[in-house]
DNA sequence: CTATAACCGAGACGGTACGTCAGGTCTTCGC
DNA sequence: GCGAAGACCTGACGTACCGTCTCGGTTATAG
């Protein structure tokens, strides 16, 4: 059905395994080469040929398993991200969000993490990639931070009438905006300011 | 000594006008052709050659005045945007922000306005473009909506201890995030939910 | 280590045949297209893009195997010339040279043969081409007409003290000069006049 | 009638002097710049823009008076050549031709003189240039060396039944051929060999 | 243990667009 | 109204990658 099975080739049922199996060496060589290149260059500047050469692999092998370089990068980055997201549990929802946001900011502005904003960029011109990015990357991470919200609601630290997407986007949206547009600073202090404002709201104390 | 003066060649003072002057017909033909193409295609899919052909102009003429198609699009879009941003004044800061956000969302998801997210994408791989984008596009618009904030503070509808960037990013950040990632809906109702949450804060009513 | 092996890639020994092999269809399509174009246009007016389009081939394929259009034309023309040079054998060296010169003139002034003078022109601005032209074209043809000289010497119809290059250039030089400069007619009658004068010399009969 | 009057603008009669007159400074600056460039670069590598810049002149000024760079070079070279051709007079036609040929070879292989073969090359792709080249350059020089032939005939050193063009082309053709094709050496010794062979003819001494 | 199948590297291929260069034309100004 | 300056359109340049397509060869299962 799908031309590029990507990772989902997992469930190729039982049979159907005649012929030489996919070389896991090639696969990992490709992903590692991609990670290596991503630390030096922007995704835009990387070419399939660079990856192929750097991995010691034929271009065909790459095209066989991924439709384009963005998907390769997405899977490569997925490896790096396998280490679970740190979800603090301090007892205070505001404090949890603040610490989480700070660590996310630190990562997204790092040499490795800056690929994240390039993925968002790629989404603007490739709907299929956008879909994969949400499914494999964005939603899992939202599911992880969701527990902060849940605990906050349970502890009555967060208004239960506000839906979760709104809460999360109010926390992370400003960070994303600054990350992409660079119109305002992005650091630990700003992070706590954002979270504080989100919890208190703009309305002046009465 | 910028190589590509773009529009800022304004003040080349008095002298220095020997030779055939820049043809304003060519310039506007290029910008109009770009706008026309942007309504049909994504920025990524537009080529300098398409613009040149569509404008009845030589490629060289384009390269002479803009470093790449993103800059052309930025200037072209600037024309379209010259019409002032609508800044409502209802007496309520929350209501003003809400209406403003709704109209911005409507525009950014329209055929013409979707270029905005592509500009943000472009920023991720071209620092010089990012700088221009902020200077010519983002900051002017922020200056415009800033008056809502100012009025809100004056009317004591907005906490004066929260700095303006935080306020604006809490309003617009979630919209930008959803616009780019598409992980949650983006419409008038969502807009009012976001603004309401931002004003009230997450903390439950006591 | 020549960058452009041209035809001489003959002896690449045994190994070194990994990868998709060179397509002989493309090669011959290119050469045939070039010949076709050369019958309609001067070499100067032919572009690589014309050849590529006319051969249904990518430009890269041409650049991969030849450094520029002159080399393509040289190889294409070489094919046409593969048919052996006619070397008459009438018993008289003078008569042999005369007939040979006449047939050469006829060819060099024909639609196909006029490329010869364009090759000589190209030699003036490309030393590498000049070298190839001599090696692949000029010397083989000289080797062919050389036998007329040899038979003439053997039959004592040609003074053995005059070296061969001088003999050949006295026969063919005037033709070349007129071909290129066009300052005097060039036909069968002139050919026999030249050959006759070369054999008799300028000195009046005593 | 002619679009590019070239030199013939000399006789623009008397009147006709409305407007700013042609700047002789510009003209000579152009020609001198061209000569200067020709000593460093091949004609093929020189551009009108180089000449214009090097002469401190607009491109238009050049195009106004010459159709292309070859014509500029032809006129520029004409200046250099104004110094008369050396026509020796030793009493022997063979000796005269020999010395003349030697000096011509010396010049045509010099830094300045090598432009000659580039003119011949240009003739192959520009008929109008070829015509001008013959008229202004080739024929005058032939007229000059013609006197050697005439004296030779008068002194009965040259067979009067051989027409002049044949004589001259037998002398100069081999030199031209070698100059252009480079298949054989070209020096004083070769020159005398060629002239000697031309006078004696190939036929063995009886 | 042989046949069949899918994989793999290398690299040539037809293309598209790039950004540059020079050609020849035009438009403005100063002299 | 000439001539410089230089912007303009045109078209070809040679290059970089694209994604596809052979090749020769390898590595597994199936029979």
């Amino acid at each position: 059905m799908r031309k590029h099975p990507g990772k989902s080739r997992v469930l190729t049922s039982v049979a159907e395994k005649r012929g030489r199996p996919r070389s896991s060496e090639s696969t990992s060589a490709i992903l590692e080469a991609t990670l290596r290149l991503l630390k030096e260059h922007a995704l835009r500047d990387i070419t399939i040929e660079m990856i192929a050469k750097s991995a010691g692999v034929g271009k065909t092998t790459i095209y066989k398993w991924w439709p384009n370089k963005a998907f390769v990068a997405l899977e490569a980055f997925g490896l790096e991200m396998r280490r679970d997201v740190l979800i603090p549990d301090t007892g205070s929802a505001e404090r949890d969000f603040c610490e989480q946001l700070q660590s996310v900011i630190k990562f997204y502005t790092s040499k490795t993490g800056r690929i994240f904003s390039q993925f968002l960029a790629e989404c603007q011109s490739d709907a299929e990639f956008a879909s994969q990015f949400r499914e494999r990357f964005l939603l899992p991470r939202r599911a992880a931070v969701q527990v902060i919200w849940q605990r906050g609601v349970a502890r009555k630290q967060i208004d239960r009438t506000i839906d979760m997407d709104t809460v999360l986007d109010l926390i992370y949206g400003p960070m994303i905006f600054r990350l992409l547009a660079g119109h305002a600073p992005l650091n630990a202090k700003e992070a706590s300011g954002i979270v504080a404002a989100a919890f208190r709201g703009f309305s002046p104390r009465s």
Side-chain angles (χ1 to χ4, degrees), chain A residues 94 162 166-167 170-172 174 191-202:
Chain A
E94 180 175 339
I162 308 179
T166 303
V167 169
L170 272 162
I171 301 289
Y172 295 102
S192 75
I194 287 165
V195 174
F199 268 81
R200 250 175 302 159
F202 300 157

Side-chain angles (χ1 to χ4, degrees), chain A residues 38 41-47 69 115 118 121-122 125:
Chain A
L38 279 171
H41 310 281
L43 180 56
R44 179 75 68 100
D45 299 333
I46 295 174
T47 69
K69 65 187 175 188
I115 181 65
Q118 297 177 7
E122 185 67 21
S125 51

Side-chain angles (χ1 to χ4, degrees), chain A residues 45-113:
Chain A
D45 299 333
I46 295 174
T47 69
I48 293 273
E49 290 187 341
M50 280 167 70
I51 298 174
K53 173 153 268 178
S54 170
V57 140
K59 276 200 292 178
T60 335
T61 307
I62 300 179
Y63 281 115
K64 177 147 217 169
W65 303 107
W66 297 276
N68 59 54
K69 65 187 175 188
F71 283 79
V72 183
L74 183 57
E75 185 163 341
F77 193 57
L79 291 183
E80 195 95 3
M81 286 293 81
R82 197 67 75 223
R83 64 182 184 206
D84 277 14
V85 184
L86 174 79
I87 303 298
D89 187 359
T90 62
S92 151
E94 180 175 339
R95 187 160 192 76
D96 288 355
F97 270 128
C98 181
E99 287 187 8
Q100 220 283 319
L101 184 61
Q102 285 171 344
S103 79
V104 163
I105 286 174
K106 194 169 176 188
F107 178 65
Y108 285 169
T109 53
S110 74
K111 210 158 197 172
T112 331

